[in-house]
Amino acid sequence: MASTEPETQSATADTSRGPDAVAESLEAVMEQSSLAGQDVSEDTKTKKRKCREEDLEDFRHRLGSFKRPWWFNKPLAFSALAAARRGWQNVGPDQLSCPVCSAELTIKFEAKRLEGQWMANGQPMADAPAGISHEILEKGHSPFCPWRSVEVKNDPQWYSDKELAADVETRSAGLLAMKHLPVVLEGGQEAANPADALASAGWEAVGTVDGRDFFRCSICLRTHIVQSFAHRETEAKEPEEISDGGSSARKKRRTCQPVAGLLTPQIRVIFQT
């Protein structure tokens, strides 16, 4: 995401706060989002103990339990996404737990001299193929746990065209409700409708805390701050008239540059030889 406009204006977000304050803001907005998705008509404890493979809020609750210090650099087959789809939540360092059957599963790398080995509940699983890894997530549950035979089907490839279009429309409406949106490029040119472009790529609005607007991936829940990128206001007000250097003038919202002190993700290109 980048801006193609030369004109800029200073961002209004508070830049005096450090990384700890940003982390607190992120935690607060994620908590707000989680509370908004709760079903208050049903006892929370009972709901968490049910196997609801079709309930994306349950899935997001489990996925949100995975913390980087606890579940870092695991094999891809044991990613937070893979584990949450199979009913697991992260309860401690290298530790998974099923809220339905209360089974526990420990995935840990044990170093031995110059080499090491991945262990599942103390059993070696070195060089295990993806099928075996999937079986570990499945059979780690108790014998009668329903998660042994089902998993969350939240991959867009399983959705119908109608469902995909409805999801994009819902995400786009949520993004337009935020105060700011990043400047988005499509095919080397700035997207005319950044909300639609972001929604089509799977991004959704999370909320606003301390003047910062948060958006995230609807699948993996990776979250970014809008003010980390070049951005513009989305409020329904008349945009300013900007001269392009010629005799004509056009109306466009001015671009705010990324806020100092916030991490701006960079695109990494990996060349294979």
Side-chain angles (χ1 to χ4, degrees):
M1 300 177 188
S3 170
T4 58
E5 297 299 321
E7 67 277 9
T8 62
Q9 70 180 33
S10 60
T12 58
D14 180 11
T15 61
S16 62
R17 306 180 68 194
D20 291 342
V22 174
E24 291 174 1
S25 296
L26 177 58
E27 184 177 350
V29 79
M30 293 299 289
E31 182 178 354
Q32 286 181 3
S33 176
S34 175
L35 291 174
Q38 286 184 2
D39 183 359
V40 296
S41 64
E42 185 176 5
D43 180 74
T44 304
K45 185 175 181 180
T46 302
K47 180 177 180 180
K48 288 181 181 178
R49 290 189 60 82
K50 288 186 177 180
C51 174
R52 300 169 182 257
E53 73 276 9
E54 77 290 346
D55 192 323
L56 292 185
E57 287 303 326
D58 277 8
F59 166 75
R60 288 177 172 181
H61 176 82
R62 292 192 300 274
L63 187 58
S65 69
F66 285 81
K67 297 178 174 57
R68 195 168 301 171
W70 289 358
W71 203 257
F72 179 74
N73 199 30
K74 293 290 188 286
L76 184 60
F78 295 97
S79 69
L81 275 172
R85 281 173 175 159
R86 272 290 176 177
W88 297 100
Q89 63 184 16
N90 190 203
V91 295
D94 309 312
Q95 189 75 30
L96 300 177
S97 176
C98 173
V100 176
C101 67
S102 300
E104 294 186 348
L105 180 61
T106 301
I107 306 297
K108 190 174 182 179
F109 184 81
E110 293 190 1
K112 296 181 179 179
R113 295 183 181 179
L114 298 179
E115 298 181 353
Q117 195 171 38
W118 283 100
M119 311 287 286
N121 279 351
Q123 300 299 316
M125 56 174 189
D127 302 322
I132 298 299
S133 302
H134 186 82
E135 186 175 310
I136 291 173
L137 289 176
E138 173 189 322
K139 295 187 176 180
H141 293 281
S142 66
F144 299 103
C145 182
W147 281 115
R148 289 175 68 102
S149 57
V150 297
E151 63 180 313
V152 176
K153 302 289 186 181
N154 69 326
D155 193 310
Q157 66 176 332
W158 292 313
Y159 294 0
S160 66
D161 291 344
K162 184 177 180 180
E163 290 173 325
L164 287 173
D167 283 351
V168 170
E169 184 176 347
T170 300
R171 290 195 296 269
S172 180
L175 289 163
L176 283 172
M178 293 201 302
K179 187 175 181 180
H180 301 89
L181 281 179
V183 174
V184 181
L185 296 182
E186 286 185 317
Q189 296 184 341
E190 185 178 337
N193 191 329
D196 282 351
L198 288 167
S200 298
W203 298 98
E204 65 182 6
V206 180
T208 301
V209 173
D210 296 333
R212 297 185 176 95
D213 302 294
F214 292 80
F215 67 109
R216 70 182 179 189
C217 172
S218 59
I219 301 297
C220 71
L221 304 187
R222 179 164 186 171
T223 304
H224 293 295
I225 304 175
V226 171
Q227 285 78 8
S228 295
F229 307 89
H231 55 284
R232 289 198 178 102
E233 290 186 343
T234 57
E235 293 178 338
K237 68 178 183 180
E238 186 70 13
E240 299 181 37
E241 196 172 81
I242 298 173
S243 173
D244 58 6
S247 58
S248 63
R250 54 198 173 91
K251 288 186 176 181
K252 201 166 191 178
R253 302 190 190 284
R254 289 189 178 274
T255 302
C256 298
Q257 289 302 303
V259 173
L262 297 180
L263 173 66
T264 300
Q266 302 295 320
I267 297 176
R268 293 182 296 174
V269 179
I270 300 176
F271 295 95
Q272 294 182 346
T273 57

